[in-house]
Amino acid sequence: MSKNRRRRSQGRHTSVRHVPLRTHWLLLTTLVLTLSAALLLEGYTQHLFDERPDGAPRRQAAATSVPAAIASGGPVIEGAAGRTATPSPRTIALTFDDGPDPVWTPKILDVLRRNGVRATFFTVGTRVAENPDLARRIVAEGHQIGLHGFTHTDLGTASAWRRSLELRETRLVIAGATGVTTPLLRPPYSATNKALGDADWSAVVQAGQEGYLTVLTTLDSQDWRRPGAEAIAAAATPAGSTGQIVLLHDAGGDRSQTVTALEQLVPRLKASGWTFATVGDAVALPTAVRSAGTADRWQGMALIAALRTSGWILDVLSWLLWAAGAISLLRAIAVFVAARRHVRMRRRPWGAPVTEPVSVIVPAYNESAGIEAAVRSLLASDHPVEVIVVDDGSTDGTADIVEALRLPGVRVIQQQNAGKPAALNTGIAAASCNLLVMVDGDTVFEPDAVRMLVQPFAHRRVGAVSGNAKVVNRGGLLGRWQHIEYVVGFNLDRRLFDLAECMPTVPGAVGAFRREALLRVGGVSDATLAEDTDLTMALCRDGWRVVYEERAKAWTEAPASLGALWKQRYRWCYGTLQAMWKHRGALAQRGQAGKLGRRGLVYLLMFQVLLPLLAPVVDVFAVYGLVFLDPWRIVGLWTAFLLLQVLMGAYAFRLDGEHPGPLWSLPLQQFVHRQLMYLVVIQSVFTAVAGSRLRWQRMERYGSLQVPVTPSDAPAEPQLVTAAPAAAESRAEPWAGPAGPYGGHETDPWACHPAAPAPQNHIWPSEQGHPHP
């Protein structure tokens, strides 16, 4: 069997494609930037929109810079030249601000059409984008259209760059919606010439320099106060024969009084000899409205599309965030309830104590620095064991070290390098016991770990048991974060999987198997990077129960750098995706296989794949909320989420008998470690979709585990020690630490790298690549 496996492995090795992925990061960056731009646009247009009424009282401003000719001149101003224009005598220009509005603008247009009157509509850019059909109707019915700012902001108090932005974007939106462009501008919150202050005049001058004509008013109908139709009509009626520009509104609230007043005002003024005209006609402007250029039209249409898309994106995000929040809360409740039930369930014995001997299989490739600690810890067990060390073609004397120990009950099998799955299968074939424990060459067992690990086999349906892997090098932030992750995430999830009978992974660092179950599924497969997950899923599909025994503890090293952590989790996640795809048929099966498919695989897909894919969206939206929404509300929601995490962490630490001190670093974990894990999922999904094959990544080990001397003086928690330089130089790379967030893969492979710098890190040479699922 080993020979055949080596042939298959070598065949794969010659055909592996190592495709460097760059496109997916470009795609992800583009997606995040596009999303950020959409939210920025939505935030600017919706949450910086000034909804104060145009005629609302303003603080009296100084007017020392306003020329006297402007203050006493006509309402149409060319700011750059300092010139003004006044409507012809007995000519009245009706102007409507703040629209278009889907309710009131059509009613006002109907009144004007019935009376044969042309007016001027000063429109807000965002409302034109929302109602482009109304903007087109305004132009089509012979009315003039003008600018009233993009977000109705006070141009006098705005910065110069924002003034330009407001005017340009409004002009483009109008061009995109109507096909015309116009220089007519009415600044929001403007009134008569005499009301101009220094800041207002600065805005008028800048607008003139950019090619706009500022149109102020001579009569304010006061309709923004809603004083009644009669009062509005009276305020809009001229006292003499001087031409007038009248201020009215077609949006910004209930304009029913304006519509009624207009029906009274127009016939009355016509009967008095007044002529109605647009602003351009009233002051004889030859080019008040002209056709927009092709570039402006296309840019305007693109801006309208972007505004609509940003609004749609925000709506979708809001629903997704609510759904994600609800699902996450339900998951937290489910995990909490499951953990409590699991504790009560584990108080009941599985049956009669299991006392039969156990074969412990230790696959090893260049594990000279850690193999002695692993083997001695196994012999220190309080349960009868035979230890089989399968040396898979090591070049650092691993087999010699074990043989030199001359320990009773320890066998060494040497084979040509064929990969970890082949080494495990060699050990399975050589084992003399019916119960098998598989352990990595860098892992140290507690004295009672083997005994605890095999007790569930008293139940005939149990085919495999997952133990409790713990981080030994938990110093520093990264170590603490992984320690929290192992205790809170992995072990709580395993309790839930145990209750639901859908355990997806027995970690390679601490797992036990029934020999019969392994032989029925054909042993350990080498078809994926996550052979532990692949094997576990195969056992579940064969009808075996896979359970979790938290009292069986083993200690392992976790990555000590972000780079090493990235490589490890990338491999775990990608291998899990391979295994999920390979065993997707479980979704349609019944019995134990169906539980794995419809419970385990769905759980992994939702919480280990889909939710992490939304993580960048959530983070971008959080920044959006801090800038444009109520920041205290966003902080409050984040605090509530963090509190939930802390409570779950405290409960998980109590269940595991751990000191809760490391939980102080949980807030920092959310900003660094969590983001890294999300990016790992994104990279893995893109790798899988692209059809690329991931090769084994090497991971450094640091010599943190101490060899236990005897069962009586073996420490409850292995202590950190400093490896000697010579040992560090020959230190092998263990396959990985305990189960990860994607089902766990304590199967960190190695690759041979001659003359690699200390500490050496190795990957199984024959496992340089694996087929995509």
Side-chain angles (χ1 to χ4, degrees):
M1 180 174 67
S2 297
K3 184 177 181 180
N4 292 335
R5 285 188 176 275
R6 284 196 297 272
R7 288 175 180 172
R8 290 197 300 270
S9 178
Q10 291 166 358
R12 282 197 317 276
H13 179 60
T14 59
S15 62
V16 167
R17 294 181 297 112
H18 301 317
V19 181
L21 292 178
R22 296 292 182 269
T23 304
H24 66 282
W25 286 119
L26 177 62
L27 180 61
L28 176 62
T29 302
T30 303
L31 177 63
V32 172
L33 290 177
T34 301
L35 176 63
S36 301
L39 291 179
L40 183 63
L41 183 59
E42 182 71 10
Y44 181 85
T45 57
Q46 299 299 319
H47 300 289
L48 295 183
F49 192 95
D50 197 335
E51 295 182 339
R52 290 177 298 153
D54 271 337
R58 302 171 68 195
R59 186 178 63 180
Q60 187 65 35
T64 56
S65 63
V66 181
I70 298 296
S72 60
V76 179
I77 306 172
E78 186 181 3
R83 297 181 297 181
T84 67
T86 303
S88 303
R90 301 198 68 83
T91 299
I92 188 167
L94 298 179
T95 62
F96 297 89
D97 289 4
D98 295 352
D101 181 271
V103 175
W104 304 112
T105 301
K107 295 180 182 297
I108 290 174
L109 288 171
D110 291 342
V111 173
L112 296 175
R113 185 181 65 248
R114 287 195 299 268
N115 289 275
V117 170
R118 302 290 183 265
T120 303
F121 289 79
F122 290 100
T123 56
V124 177
T126 56
R127 287 181 172 154
V128 171
E130 293 170 1
N131 307 284
D133 53 331
L134 287 178
R136 285 191 290 271
R137 180 181 171 185
I138 289 172
V139 174
E141 294 186 1
H143 304 286
Q144 280 185 348
I145 193 166
L147 289 67
H148 197 51
F150 194 62
T151 60
H152 199 262
T153 192
D154 189 340
L155 298 181
T157 60
S159 59
W161 70 265
R162 188 174 180 192
R163 292 171 184 167
S164 295
L165 180 65
E166 288 276 325
L167 301 182
R168 173 174 170 76
E169 301 308 293
T170 308
R171 180 175 60 83
L172 288 177
V173 166
I174 291 174
T178 67
V180 301
T181 186
T182 175
L184 300 180
L185 161 68
R186 171 164 291 159
Y189 309 109
S190 61
T192 64
N193 295 49
K194 293 181 179 180
L196 285 174
D198 290 339
D200 302 320
W201 175 242
S202 173
V204 171
V205 172
Q206 181 177 344
Q209 292 169 345
E210 296 179 11
Y212 299 96
L213 296 174
T214 300
V215 181
L216 303 181
T217 61
T218 57
L219 281 179
D220 185 354
S221 68
Q222 300 286 307
D223 63 342
W224 58 273
R225 295 182 182 272
R226 299 184 182 88
E230 286 290 345
I232 293 173
T237 300
S241 61
T242 305
Q244 303 290 335
I245 294 181
V246 179
L247 172 62
L248 295 144
H249 295 85
D250 64 330
D254 184 352
R255 296 304 177 200
S256 58
Q257 293 181 7
T258 302
V259 175
T260 303
L262 196 61
E263 291 176 331
Q264 300 172 9
L265 178 66
V266 173
R268 184 186 305 167
L269 291 178
K270 276 190 172 183
S272 301
W274 284 86
T275 299
F276 289 90
T278 62
V279 169
D281 291 339
V283 296
L285 289 176
T287 56
V289 175
R290 62 181 181 274
S291 295
T294 302
D296 284 351
R297 292 192 63 181
W298 280 105
Q299 289 182 59
M301 288 188 287
L303 181 56
I304 292 173
L307 288 170
R308 291 191 162 187
T309 302
S310 65
W312 176 81
I313 289 175
L314 187 62
D315 290 340
V316 172
L317 284 182
S318 298
W319 284 107
L320 286 177
L321 290 175
W322 279 109
I327 293 173
S328 298
L329 180 60
L330 290 175
R331 173 182 177 270
I333 295 173
V335 169
F336 177 76
V337 172
R340 290 181 60 86
R341 290 188 58 189
H342 190 269
V343 170
R344 291 195 297 268
M345 182 179 69
R346 283 296 173 262
R347 291 171 182 167
R348 300 190 299 270
W350 288 96
V354 176
T355 58
E356 63 179 283
V358 173
S359 295
V360 182
I361 303 171
V362 186
Y365 176 77
N366 286 357
E367 284 283 2
S368 60
I371 193 65
E372 181 178 353
V375 171
R376 288 191 180 277
S377 74
L378 294 170
L379 291 181
S381 298
D382 59 9
H383 191 90
V385 300
E386 70 163 352
V387 179
I388 303 173
V389 178
V390 182
D391 183 85
D392 191 57
S394 296
T395 60
D396 68 343
T398 297
D400 296 336
I401 292 175
V402 179
E403 289 176 341
L405 295 176
R406 300 184 180 279
L407 296 172
V410 178
R411 283 192 288 161
V412 179
I413 301 176
Q414 292 182 272
Q415 66 177 30
Q416 292 183 356
N417 179 262
K420 185 182 179 185
L424 288 171
N425 287 323
T426 297
I428 294 171
S432 59
C433 301
N434 291 323
L435 299 181
L436 310 177
V437 170
M438 298 181 186
V439 54
D440 290 339
D442 69 303
T443 303
V444 169
F445 270 38
E446 291 197 353
D448 62 349
V450 173
R451 174 169 54 85
M452 293 295 182
L453 197 59
V454 299
Q455 295 311 306
F457 289 118
H459 195 293
R460 188 65 188 88
R461 285 185 57 210
V462 173
V465 182
S466 168
N468 186 351
K470 306 183 77 63
V471 175
V472 66
N473 55 329
R474 56 184 66 172
L477 278 178
L478 193 59
R480 289 190 182 94
W481 291 341
Q482 293 177 86
H483 171 44
I484 293 172
E485 186 182 24
Y486 276 46
V487 174
V488 180
F490 305 163
N491 291 334
L492 282 183
D493 276 348
R494 285 203 180 99
R495 295 175 191 270
L496 176 63
F497 289 139
D498 192 352
L499 283 178
E501 299 185 25
C502 61
M503 185 77 68
T505 302
V506 171
V510 51
F513 301 85
R514 197 183 293 274
R515 182 189 183 92
E516 174 191 356
L518 291 175
L519 295 180
R520 277 176 46 173
V521 299
V524 183
S525 171
D526 57 2
T528 73
L529 294 186
E531 77 278 346
D532 48 4
T533 297
D534 188 2
L535 175 61
T536 307
M537 290 183 178
L539 292 172
C540 288
R541 295 188 68 184
D542 195 44
W544 295 98
R545 274 286 309 275
V546 181
V547 301
Y548 174 53
E549 179 50 74
E550 70 274 12
R551 294 173 296 179
K553 298 177 181 179
W555 297 84
T556 189
E557 288 181 318
S561 69
L562 288 176
L565 180 62
W566 171 275
K567 293 177 182 179
Q568 181 196 65
R569 301 309 172 84
Y570 182 23
R571 183 179 62 254
W572 286 3
C573 184
Y574 184 79
T576 296
L577 291 176
Q578 286 182 304
M580 290 171 64
W581 181 257
K582 178 181 177 181
H583 296 283
R584 64 191 183 280
L587 290 166
Q589 292 182 284
R590 306 179 65 180
Q592 193 65 41
K595 293 176 182 178
L596 169 69
R598 291 183 290 277
R599 297 176 186 177
L601 294 186
V602 170
Y603 184 94
L604 292 176
L605 180 64
M606 288 181 59
F607 296 106
Q608 311 294 352
V609 179
L610 296 182
L611 281 182
L613 288 177
L614 289 175
V617 175
V618 174
D619 294 334
V620 170
F621 189 84
V623 175
Y624 168 83
L626 289 173
V627 175
F628 294 110
L629 303 178
D630 182 2
W632 292 110
R633 179 185 175 190
I634 300 299
V635 171
L637 290 174
W638 186 85
T639 303
F641 171 77
L642 181 61
L643 180 61
L644 178 64
Q645 297 282 91
V646 170
L647 291 176
M648 287 185 63
Y651 182 63
F653 269 58
R654 186 170 71 84
L655 290 181
D656 247 30
E658 294 281 356
H659 190 276
L663 290 175
W664 70 264
S665 65
L666 196 57
L668 295 175
Q669 185 191 47
Q670 302 303 306
F671 288 106
V672 181
H673 184 269
R674 183 173 65 94
Q675 314 302 323
L676 183 68
M677 296 302 101
Y678 291 157
L679 291 176
V680 163
V681 175
I682 293 170
Q683 167 111 349
S684 300
V685 170
F686 271 109
T687 304
V689 171
S692 302
R693 296 175 182 177
L694 176 66
R695 64 180 179 180
W696 290 109
Q697 305 284 346
R698 65 179 188 172
M699 191 183 78
E700 293 183 4
R701 288 294 175 174
Y702 317 101
S704 304
L705 294 170
Q706 187 178 39
V707 180
V709 180
T710 65
S712 60
D713 60 12
E717 176 177 321
Q719 303 298 310
L720 292 174
V721 297
T722 303
E729 282 192 314
S730 62
R731 179 64 179 165
E733 139 97 34
W735 293 297
Y742 317 108
H745 313 119
E746 294 70 12
T747 52
D748 187 43
W750 306 293
C752 258
H753 296 287
Q760 286 185 338
N761 303 288
H762 300 282
I763 300 176
W764 293 86
S766 62
E767 297 185 355
Q768 291 294 325
H770 291 267
H772 184 267

